[in-house]
Amino acid sequence: MPNYFPPNSNAFAKWLIWGGVVFTILLVTSLTVFARTFNNKVGVPVAQPVAFSHALHSGQMGIDCRYCHTSVEVAASANVPSTEVCMACHSQIRVGSPQLANVQQSWDTNTPIEWNRVYDVADYVYFNHSAHINKGMGCSECHGQMNRMEAVWKNEPMTMGWCLECHRNPASRVRPREEVFNMEYRRPENQAELGAVLVAEYNINLEKLPQCSTCHR
Amino acid sequence: MATARRPQDVPKIDETNRVIARGETYASIDDVVSQPVEETPFKTPRWWFVGITIAGLGLVMYLVSVIKLLTTGIGAFGNNQPTAWGFFIINFVWWIGIGHAGTLISAALLLFRQPWRTSINRAAEAMTIFAVVCAGLYPILHIGRQWVFYWLFPYPNTFGLWPQFRSPLDWDVFAISTYASVSILFWYIGLIPDFATLRDRARHSFMRWFYGILCLGWNGSTKAWQRYMRAYLILAACSFPLVLSVHSTIAMDFATSQVPGWNNTIMPPYFVAGAVFAGFAMVLILIIPLRKSFGLEKIVTMRHLDNSAKLMLATGMVVVYGYFVEVFMAWYSGVEFERYMIFNRMFGEQDAWAFWALIFCNGIAIQPLWSKRVRQNTTWLFIISIIVSIGMWLERYVIVVVTLKRDFLPSSWGGFNPTFWDFSLYFGSIGLFFTLWFLFVRLLPSVASSEMKELVYHDSHHGSDYFEAARAEEFKEKGLPV
Amino acid sequence: MIKEAENKINNSTLDIAAVREKLSKSQGKAYWLGLEELSNTSEFQEFLNEEFPRQSVAYENSVDRRDFLKLLGASLALAGLTSCVRPVRPSEKIVPYVKAPEEMVPGRPLFFASAINQGGYAMGVIAESHQGRPTRVEGNPDHPASLGAMDVTTSASVLGLYDPDRSQTIVGGADFAAFATALQGAAGGSGFAILTETVTSPTLARQLAQVFEAYPQTRWYQYDQLHNDNTLEGSRLAFGEPVTTRYDFNQADVIISLGADFLGEGPARIRYTKDFSRRRKVLSAENTMSRLYVMESTPTITGAMADHRVTIRPSQIVAVAGYLAGELGVAGAEGALPENVNAELVEALLADLQAANGRSIVIPGDGEAPYVHALAHAMNSALGSVGTTVFYHENVEAQPVNHTEQIRALTAAISAGEVTSLLVLGANPLYTAPIDLNFAEAYSGITTFHVGQYFDETAARSTWHVPQTHYLETWSDARAFDGTVTIMQPLISPFYNGKSDHEILAALLGDAEATSFQIVQDTYTANVQGDFDDFWRQSVFAGVIAGTQAPLTEVTLASLPETPTLSSGEYEIQFKLDPSILDGRYANNGWLQEVPKPLTKIVWDNVAFIAPATAETLGVSNHDIVTLTVGENSVNAPVWIMPGQAANTVTVHLGFGRGENAGHTANGVGFNANVIRTSDTPWQTVGGVTRAAGRHKIVTTQIHWRYDSPSGENDTWADYKDSTTQRRHIIRHGTLAELQAEPEYPKFVHPVAEEASDLYPDFAYTSYKWGMVVDMTVCTGCNACVVACQSENNIPVVGKKQVAVGREMHWIRIDTYYGGDLDNPEFYMQPVACMHCEKAPCEPVCPVGATVHDNEGLNVMVYNRCVGTRYCSNNCPYKVRRYNFLQYAELTSTATELSLMQNPDVTVRSRGVMEKCSYCTQRIQQGYIRAENQGRKIADGEVVTACQSACPAEAIIFGDMNTEGSAISSHKGSVLNYALLGELNTVPRSTYLARLRNPNPGLVTGTEVQS
C-alpha cells in the first residue's frame, strides 16, 4: 500500500504536542498581563477639554490637593472642583488665555465643564476616599505622582486583585498621615516595621480590611 | 494438525452461553464491524436517516430552549422559592447516572477479565461520553449568570480569588471534567487499532488518509500492541474508581446539605447503584435495536443481554433497599423534619404519585428479570429498560423537587410548576444524545473488532471444546476430511 | 455612574439667579437646598432619561459585555481574565458644579424634616435626599404621631413621588393662567363651592377664610373616606361638642376594644402602637404588661394582639357595650349579652376593669355606631380613667363635620341647582362617595375644577384638571392627631408642574404667581413673637412647631340617648379601609400592592372575608366568587375563609377595583366595594351573599397556616400535617403567669434540650458583633418593616404572577400562623429575615464563595461574585434568600422615573443573582467609616437597620453584642430569648423573644385560654 505518511510526520506529531504546551503557557501569561495593563488603559494619558496641568499647579506652584478636591477628607468621593474654584484665581491670572477659553465659557454660560473620567471604579464597589486618607494611605499610592503629570493617566490596574494586595497587607503601603498628600513620598527601607507601627497607631483593622463587606454592599 | 475426534464426541453446545457466535473468524468480524462504516452514503439504511432526523429535531428544540434560557433567564422555567433546583438538576443527575454503565463495562469488567464485555464495551463507552456531554451542560445552564460559569474553575484571575473548594458544586466541576476526559481517552485508545483496520480496508484514498490520521500511524507491530495493551490497562485502572467516585460526588451535592431528605449518609452508595442500574437500562435500550439493525447478533449475543439484565436486577434491588433505608431512618431518627419529609413523599397531596410510581418502576417492574425467559426476550428487556429509565428520573424528581417543597419552616413551603421550557430542554437533551449516537454508529466501528478478534484467538488457542467442536462441525459441513 | 449623574443634575439645573433671589427671602440654610436642586424640570427630564439609569449599569453592562454569544466563543480565555476589570467602553464624563451649593458634600445624603398629610392629619417624617433626590422617608422622632416610627404608607409615600402614572398636564385649558381665570370666573358667579378633604392645615384654613371673604356665597364641603364620622358624632352625642379623644396606652393596665383597630387605623395608629408596646415589653419576670380584650367581627392586627379576643357580629357591639356600661353603673345603659358571647369572660373582664381603678381604656371602633362611642365615653368616666389614660381636647380640624352628611348635602345642593361650579382639592369623590347618592351623575352636570395627583375617576369627569403636588414637592403645613403643627418642606421641585392646594387657592384669590413657600410663611409671620427667622428655622428644622399641641378641655357627659336598634340580617357586611392602600389613594403604589396583607398574606387583591362556618353553609372555599348584595346594588368578590371571622358576617376592603382610572399598577386589581356602600350605613350594613360562577385566583405568600391540629390528635395524615409547626417549636409562646412561675428557665421557651457542639473552635468576634432580636410579644405584624426594607435596599416589585409562583423578593417577611379554635384562633406573627447564622449553612455550599462571613458576624452576600447556583437558598433552613429569576430591576433600556428613587448606597441586583437581608450593611459601613474618621468606636444605637427604624412597636432591636449594656445585649440576655430552629446549630445572630400573652388568670384552665 502506498505510504501516505512520510517518516517525518512522526516528528511533526511530536512538535505539535510540545508546541501546544508552549503556546498555551504563552497565551495564559500574555492574557494575564493584558488583563492587568493595556486592557484597562493603565498609563494612557487622557485628553481633557481643558489642558489643565497637575504638573504646573500641584508640582511647580505646590497648590495643595485639597484646594480643589475639597471633600477628599470627609466624603467618599474626592470631588472634581467647580468652575468657580478655577475662576477664583483665573479671574485675575491669565485672563483671556486661549487655554482657559473653555473655563471662561463655562463660567459665563453657566454650563459645566465635562471632564473625561480617568479612574473608574465598578458601580458595585463602594470606595471611600476619606477612609483611606485618614488611615495614612497616600494619594500617590493609587494616583501616582500627579505632581509630574501634564495629562493625567491611570497609574494602577485598579483590579480587585490589586486592591487586595494592600487590603491584605496594609503595612506594605501605609505612611504617616502628614505624608499623605506628599506626591514625592518614597517608602523607607524599613517600610515593614514602620508599616506595622502605623497600622497599630492608626488602628487599622486588619481583620476587617479583606472582608467583602468592606467594599461591596 | 490436531488429533482428530469423532463427531459423536462433540459435546452439546449452549449457544446462549457464547460470547461470540461459532465460526466467527478474524475476517468475518472485520467485515461485520467495518461494513456499516464503509458503506457509501447512498447505501446508508433508511432507518438511520429516519432516526437522525427525529433526533436532530430534538437537538433543535434543545438549542431553542437554551437561547430562551440565556435571553430570558431562569425565570422562564419552573424554579422558584423554595424549589430553587428543578428539572435542571434532575436531568443532570439522570444523565450522569446513565453514563455509568459504560465505564463499568469497559473498565471494571476489563480488569475483572470478563470476556463477555468486549462486544458491547465500545457502544457503552460512546454512550457514556454522550451522556456526560448532556449531563455536563446542565450545571452550566442552570446557574443564573451562565456567562460567568468559568468562575467555578480555579484559574489565575484579576480578583485574586479562588473558587470555594468546600462546596460540593465545585467538586462536581472536577468530577465531571475528570470523568469526561478519562472516558474520551479510554474510548479513543480503544478505537486506534480499529481505525488502523479501517485505514487498511479503505478503498477511497481520502478515507485512508482520514483514518490514517485517527489511528496515529498504528503499524500493528508487537511493540505497538504491547504499549497499546499497557496504556489500555492503565487507563482502565484509572477509570475504574470513577465508577464509584463520580456519582458519589454527585450524591454529595445532596448529602452534604442539611435539607431533610438530602442529608443522608446512604446517598453515595445508593446513587452509585442507581447509576449503574439506569446505565444498564440505557445500554439495553441502545444495544437491542443496534444489534438487530446492523446484524450484530453473532457478536452481541444473548449472553451479553442476559448479563446486563442480571446486573440491572442486582443494582435495582440495591436501590430498592435504599428506599427502605430512607424510610426507616426517617422513623428511627425521630426528627420531625425527616419524618414529615417521608410522610409527605408517601402521602402528600401533591406528590405521592411520584413516589409510588417510582416504587413501581424501579422496584416491581424489574422483578420479572429473575426469570431467564424474560432475560432472553429482547422485547421484554427493552420495555423493562424503558420503565427503569423513567423510574430513575422520577427518583430524582422526588429527591430534588418533592423534598425542597417541604423543608424546615412551613411558612415558606411552596409548589413547583414546570413550564414548557423545562420539558423542551429535557427532551431536547435526549435529542442531543441520540444525534450523537446515530452519528457514532454510522461513522465509527460500534464494536471493538480488535478485541473481538482476541476472543476468536482466545477460543482457538485456549482449547475450548467449543472451538474444537465448532471446527469439526464446520469441516463436516464443508465436506472436508476431519 | 450615579455620582456624576447627581453632580450633573445639581449643577445643570441650578439657576443661580433664582438661587440668589430665593436665598434673599431669608430662608434658613438647613433646608433651602431641597428647593434648589431641581429648579429646572426639562433638565431634570433629560437627566432622568440619560444619566440616572446608569446606576444599574454595574450589572447590565457586565451582561452586555459577556453576552452569551461571546461567551460561547472565547469567554473562558478572555472574559475570565478580565472579568473584574472595568469593561473597555467610551470613557464616562465627570460633570462638576459650576458653582457648588454650600453644605453639599457630593456623595453625602442630607436629611429634611417634613410630614405626610394623610386624611388631613400629619405624620412627621425625616426625608433623606441624595443630591436632591428624595430616596427615603423615615419617622420623625420629635413628631407626636410618629415618634420616629413608620407604617407601610409612610415608607411607600416616596414611591408615590416618582410614580410615572401621576397626572402630568393641565386638562381643560391651555395653561395654569387660563385655569386661574376660569376658576375666578366661576367663583365670581353664584353657586360656587369648594370640596376638600379633611382640613387641619392652618394655612389652608386661612386661605379658605380669605376665599369666603372674597367670594361670600362660596360654600365649603369636606369629604374624605378616612374621616371617622362616627367618632365625631359619638363625642357630639356624649358631650354635645365634637371634642377629640386621646388615649395613653402606656398608662393603661386593662384595655377593652369595642371593634377598635387602634393599632392599625386612625391618624394616631403609630403613636398608639408605640405606647401600647412599651407597656407590654417584657424581658424578665419582673416586668408586667397590660391586658387587652378585643371584641370584633373580623380579625385585625389589634385583635391578633389580644389576650382575650371575642368574635361578635357588628350588630351585637351595641348590646355588649350597653351591657358593660350598665354593669359599670352608667345611667340609662342597658343591653343583654348575646348567647355567643362567653358570659364568664365578660364578668372577668368587668372585674378587671374595676380593679384597674382608672388605669383602663374602653375604646370604640371608628366604624361603630355613635351610640357605642357615647357609651365608651360614659364608661371611661365611670371608671375614672379620664385624666389618667383618656384625655379630651378640642377637635383640631378646621371645621369638624360629618363628611358623609357633607357629601350628601353637596349632592343635594347640586341637584337643587344651588351649586353650579365646584373646585375639588385632592379628593376623589366619584370613586369614594356612597353609591346611593349617585354623586357622579350630579357631578358631571356642573363645571368642575379638579386638583389631584392622578387623573382618576373624578378627573376624568371634570371640566378642568390640574396636577397636584406630592407632599415632598411643596411647602405646606398640617396638624397631628393631637394638634401639633408641622411645617412641611419640599425636597424637590414639582416634577410635572404640579400645583399645591395653596397655590390653587392663591390663584382663586387672584395671585396665580404666589409660591407655596410665601403663602405658608405668611400664615405665621403675623402671629410669631420674637425673631421670625429663628422661629421659622427651628420649626422647619425640628419638623414640629413647639407648643402647638391642642390644650386639654373639660367635658361634661350629656345623658345617654335612646339605645338605637341596629338592623341585623342574615348576613352583615362590614367595610374597612385596606391596610395598605387605605381608601385607594395609594392604589397605584407597587410596594403597597405587593406587601402581603397582615394575617392573610394576600397580595395584589382584595377579598371578601367569611367565617369557616359561613363557607360551609354557602358551600364555597377560597378563590370562589360570591355576589354581595346590599339593596339593589351588588358586587362580585372572591372569597377568603378567615379564621376568627364572626359567623354570617362578610368583611370587604375599600380602595380596589379602580378600573382604568388609577394607573398601570392599580388598574384592574381587585373589586370595588364602594358600589355596595350606602350613605346611611357606610361602615356596616346588612345584605345578601350568594355563590356566583367562576373562580378568581387569590395569591398569598404563605400556604401553610395552622400551628396545631384542630383535633389535637396526630393519628391522621391531615392532623399530622397541621400540627407539624407545633412540633417544630417554631413559635414559642406562653403566658405572663407561666413566666412568673419559672422566671429562670421557662419551659415554653425551651421545649427541647439544645446543645451546641462543634468539631471546630468558634471564631472570636473581637471588634464588633452585630446581632438582632425580634420581640414577638409586641410585634403586631403591621408590615412597616417590610416596606421600609424594600425602600432602603432597592428591592424590586415583581407583580402578582411572579408572587404566585413563589418569587416574591421581600428581604423580610412576616410569617403568620394560627392555632387553637378555628372560629376564634390565636394568631402568631413572626418576622423572618436573614438570621446571619454564625454557622451559616448557605456559606459552605456556594462554589464561588459569593456568600461568606465577615469578621463582625455578618453573612455577606456579594452580588457581583454570585453566579446563581441557588444552592445557598436550598440549604437555608429559614428560606430567607431571594433570587432574581428575571431582570426585575430596571435597566437603562427600561428605566423610568422610579429608578431615581433607588438608594445609591446599595447595589442594584441583576438577573440571576441571589440576594437577602444584609443587616443594612451599607449603614454599618457608613457608621464605621464615620466613627473611624473621628477615631472612635460606633456608639450603641448609632447604626440602625431600616426595619428597626420603621418598627412602631420597637419589636426589632439591633446592635453590637460586644458593647456592654447595649440594648441588644440586654435583650439577648432575656430568659425569653430563643433561636429559631436552634437545634440545627446554625447559631443565628437574629433571635426571638417568645410570644407572651397576659390572659386573665381567672379564665385560664390548664393551658386553655377561654375566649
Side-chain angles (χ1 to χ4, degrees), chain C residues 735-759:
Chain C
T735 66
L736 189 59
E738 284 169 16
L739 173 62
Q740 283 154 347
E742 32 186 7
E744 294 311 320
Y745 190 81
K747 279 278 175 300
F748 64 86
V749 183
H750 309 282
V752 285
E754 293 169 22
E755 62 179 87
S757 59
D758 200 328
L759 287 173

Side-chain angles (χ1 to χ4, degrees), chain C residues 250-281:
Chain C
N250 201 0
Q251 296 302 319
D253 293 339
V254 179
I255 302 156
I256 316 294
S257 157
L258 300 171
D261 180 14
F262 58 90
L263 298 177
E265 287 177 355
R269 56 190 183 278
I270 295 179
R271 168 59 175 271
Y272 286 169
T273 310
K274 278 246 177 200
D275 295 345
F276 178 75
S277 310
R278 284 173 179 172
R279 182 67 184 82
R280 287 171 67 93
K281 189 87 177 168

Side-chain angles (χ1 to χ4, degrees), chain B residues 177-331:
Chain B
S177 47
T178 315
Y179 193 34
S181 43
V182 171
S183 307
I184 290 168
L185 261 181
F186 193 68
W187 186 57
Y188 185 75
I189 300 254
L191 271 166
I192 288 175
D194 294 3
F195 281 136
T197 314
L198 287 167
R199 175 194 61 192
D200 303 340
R201 291 169 55 100
R203 281 175 240 95
H204 191 285
S205 61
F206 168 77
M207 296 313 288
R208 194 170 298 168
W209 182 80
F210 175 70
Y211 288 118
I213 296 280
L214 286 178
C215 73
L216 305 177
W218 174 269
N219 55 15
S221 65
T222 322
K223 200 169 161 198
W225 273 110
Q226 193 188 11
R227 291 183 174 163
Y228 165 81
M229 287 314 234
R230 189 172 299 144
Y232 201 53
L233 267 181
I234 290 172
L235 271 171
C238 293
S239 51
F240 179 43
L242 293 177
V243 180
L244 304 175
S245 70
V246 173
H247 222 55
S248 302
T249 312
I250 307 299
M252 300 291 187
D253 291 348
F254 303 98
T256 58
S257 83
Q258 70 167 5
V259 179
W262 286 10
N263 183 3
N264 300 331
T265 45
I266 191 175
M267 281 288 186
Y270 162 47
F271 266 48
V272 171
V276 177
F277 182 44
F280 271 99
M282 186 53 88
V283 168
L284 289 171
I285 292 172
L286 296 175
I287 288 286
I288 289 171
L290 182 71
R291 66 195 283 272
K292 258 206 173 32
S293 44
F294 276 152
L296 299 176
E297 286 91 343
K298 292 189 166 183
I299 299 178
V300 184
T301 64
M302 281 319 291
R303 174 159 175 213
H304 299 100
L305 307 186
D306 189 82
N307 284 3
S308 309
K310 282 179 187 160
L311 263 168
M312 214 164 92
L313 180 61
T315 48
M317 295 312 289
V318 176
V319 171
V320 172
Y321 169 75
Y323 299 147
F324 283 122
V325 170
E326 272 189 325
V327 176
F328 172 77
M329 288 311 292
W331 167 77

Side-chain angles (χ1 to χ4, degrees), chain C residues 536-716:
Chain C
W536 185 256
R537 195 170 291 110
Q538 282 159 12
S539 309
V540 174
F541 183 80
V544 292
I545 301 182
T548 46
Q549 196 183 40
L552 300 183
T553 54
E554 287 302 314
V555 290
T556 51
L557 275 169
S559 60
L560 278 176
E562 286 305 300
T563 313
T565 50
L566 288 194
S567 56
S568 72
E570 190 193 357
Y571 290 103
E572 298 181 21
I573 300 176
Q574 200 179 15
F575 301 94
K576 281 187 162 294
L577 296 171
D578 183 80
S580 307
I581 66 171
L582 303 183
D583 64 344
R585 66 185 62 204
Y586 301 122
N588 205 49
N589 189 314
W591 290 351
L592 293 178
Q593 289 282 7
E594 191 153 302
V595 65
K597 308 237 186 289
L599 303 179
T600 62
K601 302 285 132 204
I602 292 173
V603 297
W604 292 97
D605 258 319
N606 64 333
V607 295
F609 289 150
I610 60 171
T614 317
E616 283 166 0
T617 51
L618 285 171
V620 295
S621 65
N622 290 347
H623 314 294
D624 285 345
I625 308 271
V626 293
T627 308
L628 308 175
T629 319
V630 176
E632 67 281 3
N633 305 313
S634 69
V635 67
N636 282 359
V639 162
W640 190 257
I641 298 173
M642 190 71 214
Q645 176 85 7
N648 297 343
T649 64
V650 181
T651 304
V652 291
H653 289 87
L654 305 170
F656 287 88
R658 301 293 303 276
E660 295 308 309
N661 301 299
H664 292 88
T665 310
N667 287 348
V669 176
F671 66 94
N672 181 1
N674 282 310
V675 302
I676 56 168
R677 186 165 170 271
T678 56
S679 56
D680 46 358
T681 56
W683 296 109
Q684 44 190 258
T685 178
V686 176
V689 182
T690 53
R691 180 171 187 165
R695 283 169 70 81
H696 174 77
K697 174 77 178 153
I698 301 164
V699 173
T700 67
T701 58
Q702 196 174 331
I703 62 170
H704 186 281
W705 302 89
R706 282 220 61 103
Y707 171 75
D708 53 11
S709 77
S711 65
E713 308 296 325
N714 289 328
D715 39 18
T716 72

Side-chain angles (χ1 to χ4, degrees), chain C residues 768-771 856 858 919 924 938 943 958-961 989:
Chain C
Y768 294 100
K769 187 176 180 182
W770 303 108
E856 296 171 1
L858 265 62
Y919 269 176
I924 296 176
I938 302 176
V943 174
F958 174 82
D960 173 23
M961 294 152 66
R989 276 288 172 84

Side-chain angles (χ1 to χ4, degrees), chain A residues 31 35 39 74-75 82-84 112-113 115-117 120 123-124 126 130 134-135 208 211 213 216-217, chain C residues 1 4 11 54 57 81 86 88 92-94 96-98 105 108 854 856 864 904 906-907 925 932-933:
Chain A
L31 284 175
N39 182 51
V74 293
S82 59
T83 314
E84 194 184 14
I113 305 170
W115 301 93
N116 293 313
R117 173 169 280 276
D120 188 1
D123 295 14
Y124 44 77
Y126 288 83
S130 69
N134 291 312
K135 295 288 185 181
K208 187 182 180 69
Q211 305 295 340
S213 51
H216 300 298
R217 298 169 187 170
Chain C
M1 300 283 296
E4 305 89 57
N11 146 70
R54 289 229 203 126
V57 90
L81 293 159
R86 287 298 286 166
V88 184
E92 298 173 344
K93 302 289 186 189
I94 303 181
Y97 291 89
V98 173
V105 178
R108 277 240 198 116
D854 79 2
E856 296 171 1
N864 42 303
V906 177
T907 309
Q925 292 307 326
E932 287 292 317
N933 287 353

Side-chain angles (χ1 to χ4, degrees), chain C residues 327-357:
Chain C
E327 294 296 304
L328 292 170
V330 173
E334 84 276 335
L337 276 187
E339 71 293 338
N340 59 333
V341 176
N342 179 346
E344 186 187 352
L345 184 145
V346 176
E347 296 318 317
L349 176 157
L350 285 163
D352 246 4
L353 275 178
Q354 304 284 16
N357 60 31

Side-chain angles (χ1 to χ4, degrees), chain B residues 67 69-86 88 142-153 155-159 161-170 252-259 262 335-337 339-341 343-344 347-350 404 406-415 417 419, chain C residues 59 62-63 66-68 71-72 75-76 79-85 701-704 717 720-721 724-725 727-728 730 802 805-808 813 815-817 830 832 841 843-849 851 863-871 873-879 881-883 885-887 910-914 980-981 983-984 986:
Chain B
I67 290 169
L69 168 63
L70 294 175
T71 49
T72 306
I74 299 294
F77 293 71
N79 305 49
N80 64 14
Q81 308 285 3
T83 319
W85 284 359
F88 292 93
H142 110 288
I143 66 174
R145 299 201 292 166
Q146 297 87 352
W147 48 92
V148 288
F149 77 94
Y150 53 83
W151 285 359
L152 273 70
F153 295 97
Y155 68 96
N157 57 37
T158 55
F159 307 112
L161 291 179
W162 290 105
Q164 212 227 80
F165 296 109
R166 288 188 302 165
S167 166
L169 292 187
D170 216 47
M252 300 291 187
D253 291 348
F254 303 98
T256 58
S257 83
Q258 70 167 5
V259 179
W262 286 10
V335 176
E336 172 65 17
F337 311 117
R339 286 190 175 186
Y340 187 91
M341 177 272 301
F343 273 120
N344 180 59
F347 311 119
E349 287 72 9
Q350 291 173 359
L404 282 177
R406 299 281 181 272
D407 71 336
F408 293 95
L409 288 188
S411 63
S412 42
W413 289 351
N417 302 317
T419 66
Chain C
Y59 282 106
S62 52
V63 177
R66 325 188 195 107
D67 64 15
F68 68 95
L71 163 87
L72 299 178
S75 61
L76 225 167
L81 293 159
T82 64
S83 54
C84 193
V85 182
T701 58
Q702 196 174 331
I703 62 170
H704 186 281
W717 164 237
Y720 186 88
K721 202 170 62 210
T724 186
T725 312
R727 284 194 305 280
R728 293 172 187 218
I730 289 166
Q802 289 294 306
V805 292
R807 294 173 181 175
E808 66 272 13
R813 62 172 197 265
D815 290 351
T816 306
Y817 303 97
Q830 184 174 47
V832 179
E843 288 169 3
V845 299
C846 175
V848 292
T851 183
Y863 310 123
N864 42 303
R865 175 65 171 172
C866 176
V867 300
T869 67
R870 305 187 293 288
Y871 197 172
S873 171
N874 289 346
N875 214 26
C876 173
Y878 310 98
K879 286 291 172 289
R881 293 181 156 263
R882 296 288 177 252
Y883 186 70
F885 285 94
L886 298 168
Q887 182 60 51
S910 80
R911 187 187 104 196
V913 169
M914 191 65 72
L980 182 58
L981 298 176
E983 64 270 32
L984 298 179
T986 51

